[in-house]
C-alpha cells in the first residue's frame, strides 16, 4: 500500500537580507512518520518549523501540507507570568486568542478535559501555569496542540527546561500518540541520543539538509557533517551516540 504524503517540501530557500538561512531543502514526510530534526545552533531548525506552520511565508520553493498541524512552541515563547489557568491554555488551542476564551461552549470544556485526561494531567486543570514544573507545563502545552485533533504534531525542543524524568515521560507520550493514534510527529531536538532512540526518521540540518534517513541508519559521519565545526563526536560501539562540546 502506498504511504500517504503529508508534507512535501521542494527546493526551499529562505534568506534574511544576505544571510542564507535555508538552502535547497527538499524532503517528503509521510503519515505516521516520527521525525527528529537535529543540527547545531543556528542551523535553521526553528526557521524550517516556522515555514511549515505558516509563520514565515516569504520563502522561495514549494511547501505542501496535507493535514491540520498542532504546534508546541519552544518553552520560552509563552509568557508564564501571565495569570492564566492550565485549562485556559489548552482552550487557546481552539480559540487562538485569549480575548475569546470567555465565550467558550460547554462542549469545548469537555474536549479540553478529555484531552488533559488522555495526557494524565486532569489534576492540573485549575492550576495557574506560572506555578507548574517544566514537565507539567510542557504537557499542558502538548494538550493545547492536541485539543484541535491535528494530523501532524510539530514540537520545537520539547525537552528544553524539563528534567530527565519529565523528558522521558514526554517522549513516551509522543511514542504512544504516534503508535496508537497514527499521528505524524516532527520534533526539533538537541538531544541526539534521544532522537536516534525514539524517532524513526532523522533529518540532519545545517542550512542544507545533510541527511534524511531511518533513525537506525544514522552514522557518526552524518553527525560529523553537521556538527564538525564546533563539536567532537565520541561514538562508542553499541552505546548511544554522544556528542560532547569541546568547550565542556
Ligand atoms: N528574523 C531573522 N532575521 C535575521 N536572522 C535570522 C532571523 N531568524 C533567524 N535568523 C538567523 O537564522 C539562523 C538560523 O536560526 P534558527 O533559529 O532557525 O536556528 P536553530 O537551528 O533553530 O538554532 P537553535 O538550535 O540555536 O535554536 C541563525 O543564524 C539566526 O540568527
Amino acid at each position: 500500500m502506498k504511504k500517504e504524503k503529508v508534507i512535501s517540501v521542494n527546493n526551499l530557500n529562505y534568506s534574511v537580507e544576505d544571510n542564507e538561512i535555508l538552502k535547497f531543502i527538499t524532503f517528503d514526510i509521510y503519515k505516521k512518520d516520527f521525525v527528529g530534526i537535529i543540527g547545531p545552533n543556528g542551523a535553521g531548525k526553528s526557521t524550517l518549523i516556522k515555514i511549515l506552520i505558516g509563520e514565515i511565508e516569504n520563502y522561495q520553493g514549494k511547501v505542501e501540507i496535507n493535514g491540520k498541524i498542532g504546534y508546541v512552541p519552544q518553552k520560552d515563547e509563552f509568557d508564564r507570568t501571565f495569570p492564566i489557568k492550565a485549562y485556559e491554555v489548552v482552550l487557546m488551542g481552539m480559540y487562538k486568542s485569549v480575548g475569546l476564551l470567555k465565550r467558550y461552549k460547554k462542549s469545548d470544556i469537555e474536549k479540553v478535559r478529555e484531552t488533559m485526561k488522555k495526557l494524565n494531567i486532569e489534576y492540573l486543570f485549575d492550576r495557574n501555569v506560572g506555578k507548574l514544573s517544566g514537565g507539567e507545563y510542557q504537557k499542558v502545552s502538548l494538550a493545547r496542540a492536541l485539543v484541535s485533533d491535528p494530523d501532524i504534531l510539530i514540537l520545537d525542543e520539547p525537552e528544553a527546561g524539563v528534567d530527565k524524568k519529565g523528558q522521558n515521560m514526554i517522549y513516551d507520550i509522543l511514542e504512544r500518540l504516534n503508535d496508537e493514534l497514527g499521528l505524524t510527529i516532527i520534533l526539533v531536538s538537541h538531544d541526539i541520543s534521544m532522537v536516534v532512540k525514539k524517532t524513526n526518521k532523522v533529518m540532519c540540518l545545517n542550512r542544507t539538509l545533510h541527511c534524511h534517513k531511518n533513525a537506525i541508519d544514522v552514522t557518526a559521519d552524518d553527525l560529523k557533517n553537521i556538527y564538525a565545526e564546533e563539536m567532537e563526536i565520541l561514538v562508542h560501539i553499541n552505546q548511544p551516540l554522544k556528542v560532547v562540546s569541546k568547550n565542556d
Side-chain angles (χ1 to χ4, degrees), residues 63-123:
V63 176
E64 286 176 289
I65 311 284
N66 180 17
K68 193 197 281 180
I69 292 181
Y71 173 54
V72 181
Q74 266 188 28
K75 198 164 161 276
D76 55 5
E77 283 178 32
F78 183 80
D79 178 9
R80 285 231 272 152
T81 59
F82 191 75
I84 185 166
K85 291 182 193 296
Y87 81 89
E88 292 174 306
V89 171
V90 180
L91 255 182
M92 276 163 67
M94 290 171 147
Y95 290 96
K96 307 290 175 215
S97 151
V98 183
L100 294 171
L101 286 183
K102 299 285 175 227
R103 288 197 239 145
Y104 60 76
K105 297 190 282 250
K106 197 165 166 242
S107 59
D108 295 340
I109 283 292
E110 275 159 21
K111 178 76 183 167
V112 165
R113 201 180 281 282
E114 182 196 313
T115 308
M116 292 180 80
K117 205 170 172 180
K118 257 190 220 158
L119 299 179
N120 290 327
I121 52 164
E122 209 190 350
Y123 70 100

Side-chain angles (χ1 to χ4, degrees), residues 34-38 185-189 195 199 201-204:
F34 187 173
V35 185
I37 304 178
I38 57 170
I185 301 180
I186 302 165
L187 62 84
V188 161
S189 175
V195 166
T199 67
K201 292 269 166 59
V202 171
M203 288 172 53
C204 309

Side-chain angles (χ1 to χ4, degrees), residues 100-168:
L100 294 171
L101 286 183
K102 299 285 175 227
R103 288 197 239 145
Y104 60 76
K105 297 190 282 250
K106 197 165 166 242
S107 59
D108 295 340
I109 283 292
E110 275 159 21
K111 178 76 183 167
V112 165
R113 201 180 281 282
E114 182 196 313
T115 308
M116 292 180 80
K117 205 170 172 180
K118 257 190 220 158
L119 299 179
N120 290 327
I121 52 164
E122 209 190 350
Y123 70 100
L124 298 176
F125 195 83
D126 267 325
R127 295 262 299 273
N128 198 308
V129 288
K131 302 265 166 34
L132 304 183
S133 73
E136 286 172 335
Y137 178 71
Q138 198 57 293
K139 281 190 263 179
V140 170
S141 197
L142 188 54
R144 180 180 59 174
L146 291 173
V147 76
S148 57
D149 292 324
D151 309 292
I152 307 162
L153 184 64
I154 299 185
L155 307 97
D156 199 348
E157 293 188 37
E159 71 277 347
V162 181
D163 63 20
K164 200 68 208 163
K165 194 170 148 234
Q167 289 176 12
N168 281 323

Side-chain angles (χ1 to χ4, degrees), residues 8-104:
S8 183
V9 172
N10 212 322
N11 206 11
L12 167 67
N13 286 273
Y14 178 70
S15 300
V16 177
E17 291 163 3
D18 289 340
N19 187 3
E20 290 183 293
I21 298 172
L22 295 171
K23 293 188 277 188
F24 313 117
I25 308 282
T26 295
F27 63 87
D28 293 323
I29 289 178
Y30 294 87
K31 188 170 164 56
K32 226 184 154 186
D33 276 354
F34 187 173
V35 185
I37 304 178
I38 57 170
N41 292 122
K45 305 181 295 296
S46 297
T47 304
L48 177 58
I49 278 186
K50 283 180 181 149
I51 289 172
L52 296 180
I53 65 169
E55 204 172 288
I56 293 176
E57 292 178 328
N58 58 336
Y59 55 82
Q60 290 169 322
K62 206 164 170 196
V63 176
E64 286 176 289
I65 311 284
N66 180 17
K68 193 197 281 180
I69 292 181
Y71 173 54
V72 181
Q74 266 188 28
K75 198 164 161 276
D76 55 5
E77 283 178 32
F78 183 80
D79 178 9
R80 285 231 272 152
T81 59
F82 191 75
I84 185 166
K85 291 182 193 296
Y87 81 89
E88 292 174 306
V89 171
V90 180
L91 255 182
M92 276 163 67
M94 290 171 147
Y95 290 96
K96 307 290 175 215
S97 151
V98 183
L100 294 171
L101 286 183
K102 299 285 175 227
R103 288 197 239 145
Y104 60 76

